[in-house]
Short mmCIF file of all heavy atoms in Angstrom, two decimals:
data_model
loop_
_atom_site.label_atom_id
_atom_site.label_comp_id
_atom_site.label_asym_id
_atom_site.label_seq_id
_atom_site.Cartn_x
_atom_site.Cartn_y
_atom_site.Cartn_z
N ARG A 8 9.09 1.90 -3.86
CA ARG A 8 9.31 1.88 -5.25
C ARG A 8 8.48 0.84 -5.98
O ARG A 8 8.11 0.92 -7.20
CB ARG A 8 10.80 1.67 -5.55
CG ARG A 8 11.64 2.85 -5.42
CD ARG A 8 13.11 2.64 -5.37
NE ARG A 8 13.48 1.63 -4.35
CZ ARG A 8 14.79 1.35 -4.13
NH1 ARG A 8 15.72 2.02 -4.72
NH2 ARG A 8 15.18 0.56 -3.15
N ARG A 9 8.07 -0.30 -5.22
CA ARG A 9 7.23 -1.34 -5.76
C ARG A 9 5.85 -0.88 -5.87
O ARG A 9 4.96 -1.61 -6.47
CB ARG A 9 7.35 -2.50 -4.89
CG ARG A 9 8.71 -3.21 -4.85
CD ARG A 9 8.77 -4.28 -4.00
NE ARG A 9 7.95 -5.47 -4.56
CZ ARG A 9 6.97 -6.07 -3.84
NH1 ARG A 9 6.81 -5.70 -2.60
NH2 ARG A 9 6.33 -6.94 -4.44
N PHE A 10 5.37 0.27 -5.22
CA PHE A 10 3.97 0.66 -5.24
C PHE A 10 3.83 2.22 -5.52
O PHE A 10 3.51 2.96 -4.63
CB PHE A 10 3.38 0.37 -3.77
CG PHE A 10 3.64 -1.07 -3.36
CD1 PHE A 10 4.62 -1.37 -2.47
CD2 PHE A 10 2.70 -2.02 -3.87
CE1 PHE A 10 4.76 -2.70 -2.16
CE2 PHE A 10 2.82 -3.36 -3.47
CZ PHE A 10 3.95 -3.69 -2.65
N PRO A 11 4.09 2.53 -6.79
CA PRO A 11 4.20 3.91 -7.15
C PRO A 11 2.78 4.61 -6.98
O PRO A 11 2.76 5.72 -6.66
CB PRO A 11 4.57 3.98 -8.68
CG PRO A 11 4.40 2.52 -9.06
CD PRO A 11 4.59 1.68 -8.01
N GLN A 12 1.78 3.90 -7.16
CA GLN A 12 0.52 4.49 -7.11
C GLN A 12 0.15 4.83 -5.67
O GLN A 12 -0.52 5.97 -5.36
CB GLN A 12 -0.56 3.52 -7.67
CG GLN A 12 -2.02 4.08 -7.74
CD GLN A 12 -3.06 3.10 -8.37
OE1 GLN A 12 -2.66 2.18 -8.97
NE2 GLN A 12 -4.25 3.39 -8.22
N GLN A 13 0.53 4.05 -4.69
CA GLN A 13 0.21 4.21 -3.31
C GLN A 13 1.21 5.19 -2.50
O GLN A 13 1.01 5.65 -1.45
CB GLN A 13 -0.03 3.00 -2.56
CG GLN A 13 -1.14 2.21 -2.98
CD GLN A 13 -0.93 1.32 -4.17
OE1 GLN A 13 0.16 1.25 -4.62
NE2 GLN A 13 -1.90 0.56 -4.61
N ARG A 14 2.37 5.30 -3.27
CA ARG A 14 3.56 5.95 -2.57
C ARG A 14 3.19 7.29 -2.04
O ARG A 14 3.56 7.62 -0.78
CB ARG A 14 4.66 6.05 -3.46
CG ARG A 14 5.96 6.60 -2.93
CD ARG A 14 7.20 6.49 -3.81
NE ARG A 14 8.31 7.03 -3.09
CZ ARG A 14 9.65 6.72 -3.47
NH1 ARG A 14 9.86 5.90 -4.34
NH2 ARG A 14 10.59 7.34 -2.78
N PRO A 15 2.64 8.15 -2.86
CA PRO A 15 2.35 9.58 -2.12
C PRO A 15 1.61 9.63 -0.98
O PRO A 15 1.92 10.44 0.01
CB PRO A 15 1.65 10.37 -3.36
CG PRO A 15 2.01 9.53 -4.66
CD PRO A 15 2.14 8.13 -4.07
N ASP A 16 0.49 8.76 -0.86
CA ASP A 16 -0.33 8.79 0.30
C ASP A 16 0.54 8.18 1.57
O ASP A 16 0.29 8.70 2.70
CB ASP A 16 -1.56 7.83 0.01
CG ASP A 16 -2.49 8.43 -0.85
OD1 ASP A 16 -2.52 9.70 -1.00
OD2 ASP A 16 -3.33 7.75 -1.48
N VAL A 17 1.34 7.26 1.34
CA VAL A 17 2.10 6.65 2.36
C VAL A 17 3.12 7.74 2.92
O VAL A 17 3.31 7.97 4.13
CB VAL A 17 2.78 5.40 1.97
CG1 VAL A 17 3.75 4.79 3.09
CG2 VAL A 17 1.81 4.27 1.70
N GLU A 18 3.79 8.34 1.92
CA GLU A 18 4.91 9.31 2.36
C GLU A 18 4.37 10.48 3.17
O GLU A 18 5.06 11.02 3.96
CB GLU A 18 5.46 9.85 1.03
CG GLU A 18 6.54 8.95 0.36
CD GLU A 18 7.35 9.47 -0.69
OE1 GLU A 18 6.95 10.56 -1.30
OE2 GLU A 18 8.47 8.92 -1.02
N LYS A 19 3.10 10.85 2.86
CA LYS A 19 2.40 11.98 3.68
C LYS A 19 2.37 11.62 5.11
O LYS A 19 2.43 12.50 6.03
CB LYS A 19 1.11 12.19 3.25
CG LYS A 19 0.97 12.92 1.84
CD LYS A 19 -0.46 13.12 1.43
CE LYS A 19 -0.58 13.61 0.01
NZ LYS A 19 -2.00 13.60 -0.49
N GLN A 20 2.29 10.29 5.49
CA GLN A 20 2.15 9.93 6.86
C GLN A 20 3.42 9.68 7.59
O GLN A 20 3.36 9.55 8.87
CB GLN A 20 1.33 8.48 6.89
CG GLN A 20 -0.07 8.66 6.20
CD GLN A 20 -0.94 9.64 6.80
OE1 GLN A 20 -0.88 9.94 8.04
NE2 GLN A 20 -1.73 10.31 5.91
N ILE A 21 4.60 9.62 6.86
CA ILE A 21 5.82 9.20 7.49
C ILE A 21 6.35 10.37 8.44
O ILE A 21 6.82 9.88 9.58
CB ILE A 21 6.88 8.91 6.38
CG1 ILE A 21 6.43 7.58 5.62
CG2 ILE A 21 8.28 8.75 7.00
CD1 ILE A 21 7.36 7.23 4.51
N PRO A 22 6.41 11.63 8.10
CA PRO A 22 7.17 12.49 8.96
C PRO A 22 6.80 12.52 10.49
O PRO A 22 7.69 12.47 11.31
CB PRO A 22 6.86 13.95 8.28
CG PRO A 22 6.60 13.54 6.88
CD PRO A 22 5.96 12.30 6.88
N PRO A 23 5.43 12.57 10.91
CA PRO A 23 5.18 12.56 12.29
C PRO A 23 5.56 11.19 12.87
O PRO A 23 6.09 11.17 14.03
CB PRO A 23 3.66 12.85 12.39
CG PRO A 23 3.20 12.46 11.05
CD PRO A 23 4.30 12.80 10.08
N LEU A 24 5.51 10.19 12.23
CA LEU A 24 5.80 8.78 12.80
C LEU A 24 7.39 8.63 12.93
O LEU A 24 7.87 8.11 13.86
CB LEU A 24 5.31 7.72 11.79
CG LEU A 24 3.77 7.61 11.82
CD1 LEU A 24 3.44 6.56 10.73
CD2 LEU A 24 3.12 7.12 13.16
N GLU A 25 8.08 9.25 11.93
CA GLU A 25 9.53 9.31 12.02
C GLU A 25 10.00 10.20 13.13
O GLU A 25 10.96 9.80 13.94
CB GLU A 25 10.18 9.84 10.66
CG GLU A 25 11.56 9.56 10.50
CD GLU A 25 12.06 9.97 9.09
OE1 GLU A 25 11.48 10.86 8.46
OE2 GLU A 25 13.14 9.40 8.67
N LYS A 26 9.39 11.28 13.33
CA LYS A 26 9.79 12.17 14.41
C LYS A 26 9.43 11.58 15.81
O LYS A 26 10.23 11.75 16.81
CB LYS A 26 8.97 13.48 14.29
CG LYS A 26 9.36 14.60 15.32
CD LYS A 26 8.57 15.89 15.13
CE LYS A 26 9.02 16.91 16.10
NZ LYS A 26 8.17 18.13 15.90
N ALA A 27 8.41 10.83 15.86
CA ALA A 27 8.07 10.05 17.11
C ALA A 27 8.93 8.87 17.40
O ALA A 27 8.93 8.27 18.55
CB ALA A 27 6.63 9.61 17.13
N GLY A 28 9.72 8.47 16.42
CA GLY A 28 10.77 7.37 16.59
C GLY A 28 10.11 5.95 16.31
O GLY A 28 10.70 4.99 16.70
N TYR A 29 8.95 5.95 15.58
CA TYR A 29 8.34 4.72 15.27
C TYR A 29 8.68 4.10 14.00
O TYR A 29 8.56 2.93 13.75
CB TYR A 29 6.84 4.97 15.22
CG TYR A 29 6.22 5.27 16.66
CD1 TYR A 29 5.12 6.16 16.77
CD2 TYR A 29 6.63 4.68 17.90
CE1 TYR A 29 4.60 6.50 17.90
CE2 TYR A 29 6.19 5.02 19.14
CZ TYR A 29 5.16 5.86 19.14
OH TYR A 29 4.58 6.27 20.35
N VAL A 30 9.22 4.99 13.15
CA VAL A 30 9.59 4.49 11.73
C VAL A 30 10.95 5.06 11.20
O VAL A 30 11.31 6.13 11.76
CB VAL A 30 8.51 4.71 10.62
CG1 VAL A 30 7.20 4.11 10.98
CG2 VAL A 30 8.45 6.17 10.24
N ARG A 31 11.60 4.38 10.34
CA ARG A 31 12.70 4.93 9.69
C ARG A 31 12.38 5.00 8.17
O ARG A 31 11.61 4.18 7.68
CB ARG A 31 14.05 4.04 9.72
CG ARG A 31 14.45 3.67 11.18
CD ARG A 31 15.69 2.80 11.20
NE ARG A 31 16.06 2.45 12.43
CZ ARG A 31 15.85 1.30 13.09
NH1 ARG A 31 15.07 0.54 12.31
NH2 ARG A 31 16.19 1.09 14.23
N PHE A 32 12.96 6.05 7.42
CA PHE A 32 12.66 6.28 6.05
C PHE A 32 13.94 6.76 5.44
O PHE A 32 14.51 7.71 5.75
CB PHE A 32 11.52 7.22 5.93
CG PHE A 32 11.11 7.36 4.48
CD1 PHE A 32 10.78 6.25 3.67
CD2 PHE A 32 10.98 8.68 3.94
CE1 PHE A 32 10.36 6.38 2.34
CE2 PHE A 32 10.62 8.75 2.52
CZ PHE A 32 10.24 7.58 1.77
N ASP A 33 14.36 5.94 4.32
CA ASP A 33 15.65 6.27 3.64
C ASP A 33 15.38 7.10 2.33
O ASP A 33 16.25 7.14 1.64
CB ASP A 33 16.56 5.11 3.54
CG ASP A 33 16.02 4.04 2.50
OD1 ASP A 33 14.79 4.19 2.00
OD2 ASP A 33 16.52 3.06 2.35
N GLY A 34 14.13 7.33 2.19
CA GLY A 34 13.75 7.91 0.84
C GLY A 34 12.97 6.94 -0.07
O GLY A 34 12.32 7.52 -1.01
N ASN A 35 13.22 5.76 0.23
CA ASN A 35 12.42 4.70 -0.59
C ASN A 35 11.81 3.58 0.29
O ASN A 35 10.75 3.33 0.01
CB ASN A 35 13.35 4.02 -1.57
CG ASN A 35 13.81 4.96 -2.71
OD1 ASN A 35 12.97 5.47 -3.39
ND2 ASN A 35 15.13 5.11 -2.86
N VAL A 36 12.55 3.26 1.30
CA VAL A 36 12.04 2.15 2.22
C VAL A 36 11.63 2.75 3.51
O VAL A 36 12.38 3.46 4.14
CB VAL A 36 13.14 1.08 2.25
CG1 VAL A 36 12.60 -0.09 3.29
CG2 VAL A 36 13.43 0.47 0.91
N VAL A 37 10.46 2.29 4.04
CA VAL A 37 9.96 2.77 5.24
C VAL A 37 10.04 1.44 6.11
O VAL A 37 9.51 0.44 5.64
CB VAL A 37 8.59 3.36 5.24
CG1 VAL A 37 7.48 2.53 4.66
CG2 VAL A 37 8.14 3.73 6.65
N SER A 38 10.41 1.53 7.32
CA SER A 38 10.57 0.37 8.22
C SER A 38 10.22 0.81 9.68
O SER A 38 10.50 1.99 10.02
CB SER A 38 11.84 -0.30 8.08
OG SER A 38 12.94 0.49 8.40
N LEU A 39 9.73 -0.18 10.46
CA LEU A 39 9.48 0.21 11.77
C LEU A 39 10.66 -0.05 12.70
O LEU A 39 11.46 -0.92 12.46
CB LEU A 39 8.32 -0.81 12.34
CG LEU A 39 6.89 -0.22 12.11
CD1 LEU A 39 6.54 -0.15 10.56
CD2 LEU A 39 5.85 -1.13 12.78
N THR A 40 10.78 0.87 13.70
CA THR A 40 11.83 0.65 14.74
C THR A 40 11.40 -0.27 15.78
O THR A 40 10.17 -0.60 15.76
CB THR A 40 12.08 2.10 15.36
OG1 THR A 40 10.95 2.43 16.15
CG2 THR A 40 12.57 3.06 14.39
N PRO A 41 12.19 -0.70 16.72
CA PRO A 41 11.71 -1.62 17.78
C PRO A 41 10.55 -0.85 18.55
O PRO A 41 9.56 -1.56 18.92
CB PRO A 41 12.93 -1.78 18.73
CG PRO A 41 13.99 -1.75 17.66
CD PRO A 41 13.64 -0.72 16.71
#
């Protein structure tokens, strides 16, 4: 939410990383897992 201009590009990359267990995404905040 702090970076609306870059948000769409980042969100595109999240699904495969989330599926692989590398990141979590709650709809606004993306964070890395251990």
Side-chain angles (χ1 to χ4, degrees):
R8 288 171 293 193
R9 298 182 60 235
F10 305 98
Q12 189 175 343
Q13 293 86 3
R14 179 171 184 156
D16 290 336
V17 175
E18 284 190 335
K19 286 178 191 173
Q20 304 300 327
I21 291 175
L24 294 171
E25 191 174 27
K26 186 176 180 181
Y29 293 143
V30 304
R31 301 184 185 94
F32 186 52
D33 68 1
N35 289 307
V36 178
V37 58
S38 59
L39 272 64
T40 64

